[in-house]
Amino acid sequence: MSNDDMMFSIRVPASTANLGPGFDSIGLALSLYLTVHVYRSDKWEVMPLSEEMKAFPTDESHYVIQIAKKTAAKYGKTLPTCRLAVESEIPLARGLGSSASAIVAGIQLADSLCHLHLTKEEKVYLASYEEGHPDNAGASVAGGLVVGMHEEEQTSLLSFPLASVAVAVVIPKYELLTSDSRNVLPPSLSFKESVKASAIANTFLAALLSGNFELAGSMMKRDLFHQPYRRELVPLLSEVEGFAYERGAFGVALSGAGPSIVCFAETEKMSHLLEDLSERFPDCDVKQVEIDQEGCVVMTKADTIHS
């Protein structure tokens, strides 16, 4: 495999979903990446370049290829064979959108190889359809802070830049499957509870976008949709919350279905918060991540990047 055979690379950001009360509708793209290098080949082959990628198939049953084939078939195309070299900074089953990033990579692979010329909106819909909701999928496609709603026929999504906000992620060593995390949620909420939960989510979003970070953090604490039920699976959440708020975070939330926890602070307060979190939780991987504003990008050999 030589660089002369390389056609392009696909880079997809990780994501954190919900941000507290924005259950299944709000997401944020983060600067941890799944990267797929695509080479000419007369047969399917997948080469893992990072340790966690070694757990997946190395033939055409690989999830990225399956999504790509499905996408190509939807538009009446046959996906040409190629060799993929895959590396990822996104930990698996930690609530950081690893499955959504793979879906987005597969859609982009089909788009690039079959010249589908999909719009960003079409990619968001296809990825959200596979995921079932647009928070992780939309963030990985569009970048930034995303707010959306997915229905069988369409996905409505808006993306916003988020300035003056820094993010730290506390990543436990253990995995938590999304299916297990969903099983603890109630089948329904009362009308009164639903109205209150919706009001909290609306106020959170308005506060975050207007720069009222204190109010945004207050609303993150008051989520009624999922965090009260998932705390029993992730007891670390309450511990990180109490500590991070004391050390300057304005908001703390379970990342997606967990078990990772995201802490938000104003940019100038992040360095001290990161140091304190690292000292307090030595058994976790604590890292600062940037907010990815680009979403999924395709890179040529000349490192020319385009959407």
Side-chain angles (χ1 to χ4, degrees):
M1 183 172 64
S2 70
N3 285 336
D4 291 339
D5 296 324
M6 181 175 166
M7 294 185 284
F8 55 88
S9 298
I10 299 167
R11 191 187 71 188
V12 186
S15 56
T16 181
N18 305 325
L19 280 66
F23 187 64
D24 278 2
S25 60
I26 298 177
L28 185 68
L30 303 176
S31 63
L32 300 170
Y33 297 99
L34 169 67
T35 305
V36 180
H37 307 286
V38 185
Y39 297 82
R40 294 181 180 86
S41 178
D42 58 2
K43 66 176 182 178
W44 285 112
E45 184 181 357
V46 181
M47 300 180 60
L49 299 181
S50 53
E51 190 62 33
E52 285 189 318
M53 293 297 98
K54 293 179 181 178
F56 297 100
T58 57
D59 58 13
E60 62 187 284
S61 64
H62 192 282
Y63 191 44
V64 170
I65 298 174
Q66 289 300 302
I67 293 294
K69 282 188 167 187
K70 183 176 180 180
T71 303
K74 178 180 176 66
Y75 293 92
K77 303 286 188 178
T78 299
L79 194 70
T81 58
C82 55
R83 180 183 292 115
L84 307 180
V86 184
E87 56 186 318
S88 181
E89 302 171 325
I90 309 172
L92 302 175
R94 300 297 204 285
L96 290 168
S98 58
S99 63
S101 67
I103 289 169
V104 172
I107 292 168
Q108 185 58 61
L109 181 62
D111 185 39
S112 296
L113 288 175
C114 297
H115 308 290
L116 301 179
H117 306 294
L118 297 175
T119 65
K120 187 167 288 188
E121 290 74 20
E122 288 170 323
K123 293 173 189 175
V124 166
Y125 170 74
L126 292 169
S128 300
Y129 187 88
E130 289 292 332
E131 275 276 284
H133 37 84
D135 43 11
N136 293 111
S140 285
V141 172
L145 176 75
V146 298
V147 184
M149 181 185 72
H150 173 72
E151 297 175 290
E152 188 81 9
E153 305 81 16
Q154 67 175 9
T155 304
S156 301
L157 188 93
L158 297 172
S159 175
F160 304 89
L162 195 57
S164 305
V165 174
V167 184
V169 187
V170 180
I171 307 172
K173 301 297 184 184
Y174 61 88
E175 298 182 355
L176 177 59
L177 297 178
T178 301
S179 56
D180 293 337
S181 193
R182 289 227 169 220
N183 285 339
V184 300
L185 302 180
S188 63
L189 296 177
S190 71
F191 183 79
K192 183 177 181 180
E193 288 176 309
S194 299
V195 170
K196 185 176 181 180
S198 178
I200 290 169
N202 293 339
T203 305
F204 159 71
L205 184 59
L208 187 63
L209 291 177
S210 63
N212 189 336
F213 298 135
E214 182 179 355
L215 181 57
S218 174
M219 294 299 105
M220 291 172 83
K221 290 181 187 178
R222 298 178 64 184
D223 162 53
L224 297 178
F225 283 123
H226 72 112
Q227 291 182 138
Y229 309 100
R230 286 172 164 168
R231 285 182 188 275
E232 64 183 78
L233 295 179
V234 191
L236 186 65
L237 173 58
S238 296
E239 192 176 350
V240 172
E241 270 182 337
F243 183 81
Y245 281 122
E246 288 179 358
R247 295 302 194 275
F250 71 76
V252 179
L254 191 64
S255 184
S260 294
I261 298 159
V262 284
C263 303
F264 297 88
E266 294 178 68
T267 305
E268 64 272 14
K269 297 180 180 179
M270 178 50 71
S271 61
H272 292 300
L273 175 61
L274 190 70
E275 183 178 344
D276 291 344
L277 286 169
S278 298
E279 289 180 3
R280 179 65 181 80
F281 302 101
D283 294 334
C284 297
D285 186 9
V286 179
K287 59 179 65 181
Q288 182 177 354
V289 292
E290 303 299 323
I291 297 172
D292 178 280
Q293 304 290 357
E294 295 182 294
C296 178
V297 297
V298 177
M299 301 174 286
T300 67
K301 284 188 292 186
D303 291 328
T304 300
I305 301 177
H306 60 278
S307 298

